Amino acid sequence: MAIPVIDFSKLSGEERAKTMAQIANGCEEWGFFQLENHGIPEELLERVKRVCNEFYKLEREENFKKSTPVKLLNESDGGKIENVDWEDVITLLDDNEWPSNTPDFKETMAEYRAEVKKLAEKVMEVMDENLGLPKGYIKSAFNSSNKDDGDNNKAFFGTKVSHYPPCPQPKRVNALRAHTDAGGVVLLFQDDVVGGLQILKGSEWVDVQPLPNTIVINTGDQIEVLSNGKYKSVWHRVLATPDGNRRSIASFYNPSLAATIAPAPQLVEQAGAYPKFVFGDYMSVYAEQKFRPKEPRFQAVKSM
């Protein structure tokens, strides 16, 4: 069993209807799919790999050796280590401080973020069309309509640069614990050699196969709500591995914290399946419950 791999370039050709249907299937049946020929230049993706690998070596590797997961693994009695992830991670935003000691890192990652954001908006427009919603519906829903919210009314776009170093005892710790993503659409540029990412399909964990220069798309909790459950956010995890330093660059196109999220009226046949809420309230609940089932999060935010 393998998650769908879809040629995104065929959206503009004779196979458009077939490609739209493949993406609909990826959203409805899997919650994850991979895009090839997505429009992000391969030369840029190769630079991203290089600068991120160099960044980890220059600026992160030594600190990871002194991190909490490493200490717990070395000091504990041999049982499973809970509540930590075997992960080194930083988040890149337009307005936070970026690493500056790795040559070309800032320039390359800024260029990549611009390209992957454009791809995210194209993917959301495909979702709009497949769901029978007006073009731009999801993007608009992710932005607060209240002008008094100022900068908080704009959709959030962040990029997590993660590395999962080789683990000497991979059975004892998770690289990343199982969870669903809180936000909207996630675009992952994953390692094309070192695997470990899995999704839960029914009762079976399925590998997300490493493929060179594809972009993995997955839908978050807010897409599940907006689609009134037609598209589901899916449990996924990363397994620790004894060999290889897995690189993972995940970009999140999320609602603004001030945005009101609810099922699209066009998709509501009967009310009540999903609540209406402010995304910032949902994130407050998610911060406490990220690694637990999502349904109680929807219930908790319903009562806020």
Side-chain angles (χ1 to χ4, degrees):
M1 195 186 300
I3 73 164
V5 180
I6 300 167
D7 185 342
F8 201 59
S9 68
K10 291 186 176 178
L11 271 180
S12 54
E14 293 179 357
E15 296 185 46
R16 185 176 195 279
K18 177 184 174 184
T19 307
M20 292 289 290
Q22 289 173 334
I23 294 172
N25 173 262
C27 292
E28 292 176 24
E29 300 298 327
W30 291 85
F32 267 74
F33 53 94
Q34 301 206 50
L35 293 182
E36 56 185 4
N37 299 321
H38 40 65
I40 301 177
E42 293 231 346
E43 177 273 333
L44 173 58
L45 295 176
E46 293 298 328
R47 277 192 285 133
V48 168
K49 294 179 199 176
R50 177 178 58 78
V51 298
C52 287
N53 290 346
E54 290 173 358
F55 160 69
Y56 181 77
K57 284 284 185 191
L58 283 172
E59 303 190 46
R60 306 296 292 185
E61 187 170 38
E62 288 306 312
N63 281 337
F64 184 78
K65 292 174 182 176
K66 301 175 231 171
S67 68
T68 298
V70 173
K71 288 177 184 173
L72 288 172
L73 198 68
N74 290 336
E75 295 169 4
S76 60
D77 59 4
K80 181 85 173 182
I81 298 169
E82 306 292 348
N83 302 321
V84 296
D85 299 306
W86 191 264
E87 176 188 37
D88 177 82
V89 58
I90 66 160
T91 301
L92 305 178
L93 307 174
D94 287 340
D95 57 357
N96 70 343
E97 187 173 343
W98 290 25
S100 56
N101 294 333
T102 303
D104 301 327
F105 181 87
K106 290 173 76 170
E107 297 80 2
T108 300
M109 294 309 293
E111 187 179 345
Y112 173 75
R113 271 173 51 80
E115 289 288 335
V116 81
K117 186 175 184 181
K118 287 190 287 187
L119 177 60
E121 292 176 346
K122 290 177 186 173
V123 169
M124 290 192 296
E125 287 184 356
V126 171
M127 291 179 181
D128 290 333
E129 186 174 341
N130 273 332
L131 289 167
L133 300 173
K135 183 176 180 179
Y137 183 94
I138 295 173
K139 182 179 177 181
S140 177
F142 283 2
N143 289 272
S144 169
S145 58
N146 187 349
K147 301 306 178 193
D148 293 338
D149 293 324
D151 288 343
N152 289 331
N153 67 2
K154 294 180 181 176
F156 171 91
F157 187 72
T159 300
K160 281 176 53 180
V161 179
S162 299
H163 287 87
Y164 303 97
C167 180
Q169 301 178 65
K171 298 291 186 190
R172 293 187 54 211
V173 65
N174 299 291
L176 181 61
R177 287 164 282 169
H179 64 285
T180 65
D181 288 324
V185 178
V186 185
L187 299 93
L188 171 67
F189 181 32
Q190 70 164 346
D191 201 294
D192 50 19
V193 176
V194 184
L197 175 62
Q198 296 183 323
I199 70 165
L200 189 61
K201 173 74 168 160
S203 59
E204 182 180 347
W205 286 101
V206 178
D207 291 331
V208 179
Q209 61 274 33
L211 296 172
N213 294 342
T214 58
I215 299 292
V216 179
I217 308 292
N218 75 280
T219 48
D221 296 346
Q222 307 316 303
I223 294 291
E224 178 168 333
V225 174
L226 283 170
S227 71
N228 202 35
K230 188 167 187 181
Y231 297 170
K232 292 286 198 294
S233 61
V234 173
W235 284 89
H236 52 286
R237 68 185 184 184
V238 180
L239 301 180
T241 174
D243 304 305
N245 183 16
R246 174 180 166 82
R247 179 188 61 255
S248 172
I249 303 159
S251 296
F252 299 81
Y253 201 116
N254 288 355
S256 80
L257 291 177
T260 298
I261 302 297
Q266 299 92 324
L267 303 176
V268 177
E269 294 172 6
Q270 56 184 37
Y274 293 92
K276 179 179 181 178
F277 54 86
V278 174
F279 181 59
D281 292 340
Y282 187 84
M283 286 306 294
S284 297
V285 174
Y286 185 84
E288 301 290 325
Q289 301 183 16
K290 175 177 178 178
F291 300 107
R292 300 182 209 165
K294 63 191 167 188
E295 291 77 13
R297 298 199 290 264
F298 293 139
Q299 290 302 315
V301 84
K302 187 176 184 178
S303 63
M304 292 176 77

